[in-house]
Amino acid sequence: MKSAAVSIIGRPSAGKSSLLNTICGHKVSIISPVPQTTRNMIRGIWNDPLGQLLFLDTPGYHDSERKFNRQLQHVAVRAMNDADTILYVVDSSRKPGREESAILDLLSVTSVPVVAAVNKIDLPYAVPDEAATWIHARLPAVMCIPVSAVTREGIQTLLDVLIGLAPEGEALYPEEYYTDQPPEFRIAEIIREQTIIRVSEEIPHAVFVDIADIETDEPNSKLFIRAFINVERESQKGIVVGKGGRGIRDIRKASQRELRKLFPYSIELDLRVKVQHKWRKRDDLVKKLIY
Ligand SMILES: Nc1nc2c(ncn2[C@@H]2O[C@H](COP(=O)(O)OP(=O)(O)OP(=O)(O)O)[C@@H](O)[C@H]2O)c(=O)[nH]1
Ligand SMILES: [Mg+2]
């Protein structure tokens, strides 16, 4: 039996969470086109007759001095140090920039084995060979595996390599598990996902969701959820609520639909918007929300 913790590292929007969901076969980690979607260390579990891999999804690594970004970086670095293997995810449809070289700096000094997933090869303008060339310029020994989190191309090869590198050990979780996140966290994340894909500019980064109350009505299999979408300014609140409440109504309906796929309940969501003035500058909230 093999068992390993695999930390998924890469710049914002490289497709780390998409890859994790494809591997686990469920929505474990939320996804959006907005960079810095993931804010926490999210565990997803892959079970196979050969063993178990525990994947740690992380916030996109982004060099910045701001309190909020520094906390995100800290989560990624912690996951790297906890890993048996690092899965470095690269977007092969974009040129490597300053962000990529900051990650390569980190990877070139770690003693943890690194495997690179060269992602998004389904895109017509992807250049996986070029990506492998610049990875090898800094990390000559790293194996580069071309994959697509969307079409699943290359995913089995990647898993074969990762399980091959895993040490002998006992499974950490029962084999029916695919994540260990508490339901309350998953609900808040789905609402955040459905909010950030419907707003633009700075708003996605200013959103956090808190769950005020969850109740079940067992015989009817109904889940009543009361939640708040928090933003930083009154003007952002107006945008989330939308004209005649249309924005918040769409978010509520879409969240209910997504939650229905994850939980064996019909969902009734009571959703409101609240302003938490400049919460990203508040130590207590940043530490509570990003870990
Ligand atoms: N075409 C294509 N798009 C992809 C692929 N993987 C991810 N994407 C898209 O890339 C965007 C970012 O995906 P995420 O999985 O949220 O990326 P991430 O690396 O987790 O991003 P952060 O959490 O912000 O660091 C989304 O719009 C995805 O649909 C892929 O293999 N092919
Ligand atoms: Mg992510």
Side-chain angles (χ1 to χ4, degrees), residues 198 229 237-254 271-273:
R198 286 177 174 77
I229 298 170
K237 178 175 170 178
I239 293 169
V240 174
V241 170
K243 249 199 194 127
R246 196 175 299 148
I248 185 88
R249 197 162 56 235
D250 288 349
I251 295 169
R252 184 173 63 79
K253 285 193 178 150
L271 201 53
R272 297 171 197 210
V273 187

Short mmCIF file of all heavy atoms in Angstrom, two decimals, residues 198 229 237-254 271-273:
data_model
loop_
_atom_site.label_atom_id
_atom_site.label_comp_id
_atom_site.label_asym_id
_atom_site.label_seq_id
_atom_site.Cartn_x
_atom_site.Cartn_y
_atom_site.Cartn_z
N ARG A 198 -20.03 36.04 -10.99
CA ARG A 198 -21.06 36.96 -11.49
C ARG A 198 -20.73 38.43 -11.28
O ARG A 198 -21.54 39.29 -11.62
CB ARG A 198 -22.41 36.64 -10.82
CG ARG A 198 -23.01 35.38 -11.37
CD ARG A 198 -24.31 34.99 -10.69
NE ARG A 198 -24.87 33.86 -11.38
CZ ARG A 198 -24.43 32.60 -11.25
NH1 ARG A 198 -23.43 32.33 -10.44
NH2 ARG A 198 -24.97 31.63 -11.94
N ILE A 229 -23.11 37.26 2.29
CA ILE A 229 -22.01 37.60 1.39
C ILE A 229 -21.46 38.92 1.90
O ILE A 229 -22.19 39.91 1.97
CB ILE A 229 -22.51 37.78 -0.07
CG1 ILE A 229 -23.12 36.48 -0.59
CG2 ILE A 229 -21.37 38.26 -0.97
CD1 ILE A 229 -23.86 36.65 -1.91
N LYS A 237 -21.79 46.36 -2.44
CA LYS A 237 -23.03 45.71 -2.00
C LYS A 237 -24.12 45.93 -3.05
O LYS A 237 -24.82 44.98 -3.45
CB LYS A 237 -23.46 46.29 -0.63
CG LYS A 237 -24.75 45.72 -0.11
CD LYS A 237 -25.06 46.24 1.28
CE LYS A 237 -26.47 45.85 1.67
NZ LYS A 237 -26.81 46.28 3.02
N GLY A 238 -24.22 47.17 -3.52
CA GLY A 238 -25.22 47.49 -4.55
C GLY A 238 -25.03 46.64 -5.80
O GLY A 238 -26.00 46.17 -6.40
N ILE A 239 -23.77 46.42 -6.18
CA ILE A 239 -23.51 45.64 -7.40
C ILE A 239 -23.88 44.17 -7.19
O ILE A 239 -24.49 43.55 -8.06
CB ILE A 239 -22.03 45.80 -7.83
CG1 ILE A 239 -21.79 47.25 -8.27
CG2 ILE A 239 -21.68 44.83 -8.96
CD1 ILE A 239 -20.34 47.61 -8.48
N VAL A 240 -23.56 43.63 -6.03
CA VAL A 240 -23.89 42.21 -5.76
C VAL A 240 -25.41 42.03 -5.72
O VAL A 240 -25.95 41.08 -6.30
CB VAL A 240 -23.23 41.72 -4.45
CG1 VAL A 240 -23.69 40.31 -4.10
CG2 VAL A 240 -21.70 41.74 -4.57
N VAL A 241 -26.11 42.97 -5.06
CA VAL A 241 -27.57 42.85 -4.95
C VAL A 241 -28.21 43.02 -6.34
O VAL A 241 -29.14 42.29 -6.70
CB VAL A 241 -28.13 43.90 -3.95
CG1 VAL A 241 -29.66 43.95 -4.01
CG2 VAL A 241 -27.67 43.56 -2.53
N GLY A 242 -27.69 43.94 -7.11
CA GLY A 242 -28.17 44.14 -8.49
C GLY A 242 -29.49 44.89 -8.55
O GLY A 242 -30.16 45.10 -7.54
N LYS A 243 -29.86 45.26 -9.79
CA LYS A 243 -31.11 46.02 -10.03
C LYS A 243 -32.31 45.19 -9.60
O LYS A 243 -32.47 44.05 -10.05
CB LYS A 243 -31.22 46.33 -11.51
CG LYS A 243 -31.05 47.79 -11.80
CD LYS A 243 -31.61 48.16 -13.17
CE LYS A 243 -31.10 49.55 -13.53
NZ LYS A 243 -30.45 49.60 -14.82
N GLY A 244 -33.11 45.74 -8.71
CA GLY A 244 -34.31 45.03 -8.25
C GLY A 244 -34.00 43.70 -7.57
O GLY A 244 -34.84 42.81 -7.53
N GLY A 245 -32.75 43.56 -7.08
CA GLY A 245 -32.37 42.32 -6.38
C GLY A 245 -32.07 41.16 -7.32
O GLY A 245 -31.92 40.01 -6.89
N ARG A 246 -31.91 41.47 -8.62
CA ARG A 246 -31.71 40.38 -9.59
C ARG A 246 -30.38 39.66 -9.38
O ARG A 246 -30.30 38.43 -9.50
CB ARG A 246 -31.78 40.95 -11.01
CG ARG A 246 -31.97 39.86 -12.04
CD ARG A 246 -32.16 40.41 -13.42
NE ARG A 246 -33.32 41.27 -13.53
CZ ARG A 246 -33.41 42.31 -14.35
NH1 ARG A 246 -32.39 42.64 -15.12
NH2 ARG A 246 -34.51 43.02 -14.41
N GLY A 247 -29.35 40.43 -9.02
CA GLY A 247 -28.01 39.83 -8.84
C GLY A 247 -28.02 38.78 -7.74
O GLY A 247 -27.60 37.64 -7.94
N ILE A 248 -28.51 39.18 -6.59
CA ILE A 248 -28.49 38.26 -5.44
C ILE A 248 -29.44 37.08 -5.68
O ILE A 248 -29.16 35.96 -5.25
CB ILE A 248 -28.84 39.05 -4.13
CG1 ILE A 248 -28.70 38.16 -2.88
CG2 ILE A 248 -30.20 39.65 -4.12
CD1 ILE A 248 -27.35 38.14 -2.33
N ARG A 249 -30.52 37.33 -6.41
CA ARG A 249 -31.44 36.23 -6.71
C ARG A 249 -30.76 35.17 -7.60
O ARG A 249 -30.88 33.97 -7.35
CB ARG A 249 -32.68 36.79 -7.41
CG ARG A 249 -33.86 35.83 -7.39
CD ARG A 249 -35.18 36.52 -7.67
NE ARG A 249 -35.16 37.24 -8.94
CZ ARG A 249 -35.44 38.54 -9.07
NH1 ARG A 249 -35.76 39.27 -8.03
NH2 ARG A 249 -35.37 39.12 -10.26
N ASP A 250 -30.00 35.64 -8.58
CA ASP A 250 -29.27 34.70 -9.45
C ASP A 250 -28.23 33.92 -8.66
O ASP A 250 -28.05 32.72 -8.87
CB ASP A 250 -28.57 35.46 -10.60
CG ASP A 250 -29.58 35.97 -11.62
OD1 ASP A 250 -30.76 35.57 -11.55
OD2 ASP A 250 -29.18 36.80 -12.47
N ILE A 251 -27.52 34.62 -7.77
CA ILE A 251 -26.50 33.94 -6.96
C ILE A 251 -27.16 32.88 -6.07
O ILE A 251 -26.67 31.76 -5.94
CB ILE A 251 -25.71 34.96 -6.09
CG1 ILE A 251 -24.92 35.91 -6.96
CG2 ILE A 251 -24.80 34.24 -5.09
CD1 ILE A 251 -24.33 37.12 -6.23
N ARG A 252 -28.30 33.23 -5.50
CA ARG A 252 -29.00 32.30 -4.61
C ARG A 252 -29.45 31.05 -5.37
O ARG A 252 -29.20 29.93 -4.96
CB ARG A 252 -30.21 32.99 -3.97
CG ARG A 252 -30.94 32.12 -2.95
CD ARG A 252 -32.02 32.89 -2.22
NE ARG A 252 -33.06 33.37 -3.11
CZ ARG A 252 -34.05 32.61 -3.57
NH1 ARG A 252 -34.16 31.36 -3.21
NH2 ARG A 252 -34.94 33.12 -4.41
N LYS A 253 -30.05 31.27 -6.52
CA LYS A 253 -30.55 30.12 -7.30
C LYS A 253 -29.41 29.23 -7.77
O LYS A 253 -29.48 28.00 -7.69
CB LYS A 253 -31.34 30.61 -8.52
CG LYS A 253 -32.70 31.13 -8.13
CD LYS A 253 -33.56 31.30 -9.36
CE LYS A 253 -34.96 31.76 -8.98
NZ LYS A 253 -35.55 32.58 -10.03
N ALA A 254 -28.34 29.86 -8.27
CA ALA A 254 -27.20 29.08 -8.77
C ALA A 254 -26.52 28.33 -7.63
O ALA A 254 -26.12 27.16 -7.79
CB ALA A 254 -26.20 30.00 -9.46
N LEU A 271 -30.09 34.38 1.63
CA LEU A 271 -28.80 35.00 1.35
C LEU A 271 -28.91 36.52 1.45
O LEU A 271 -29.81 37.11 0.87
CB LEU A 271 -28.41 34.58 -0.08
CG LEU A 271 -26.96 34.65 -0.49
CD1 LEU A 271 -26.07 33.89 0.49
CD2 LEU A 271 -26.81 34.04 -1.89
N ARG A 272 -28.00 37.12 2.22
CA ARG A 272 -27.97 38.59 2.32
C ARG A 272 -26.56 39.12 2.11
O ARG A 272 -25.62 38.37 2.27
CB ARG A 272 -28.45 39.02 3.70
CG ARG A 272 -29.89 38.59 3.86
CD ARG A 272 -30.37 38.77 5.23
NE ARG A 272 -31.57 37.94 5.30
CZ ARG A 272 -32.60 38.19 6.05
NH1 ARG A 272 -32.60 39.22 6.84
NH2 ARG A 272 -33.64 37.40 6.03
N VAL A 273 -26.49 40.42 1.84
CA VAL A 273 -25.18 41.04 1.61
C VAL A 273 -24.89 42.02 2.74
O VAL A 273 -25.77 42.78 3.16
CB VAL A 273 -25.14 41.77 0.25
CG1 VAL A 273 -23.73 42.26 -0.05
CG2 VAL A 273 -25.63 40.86 -0.87
#
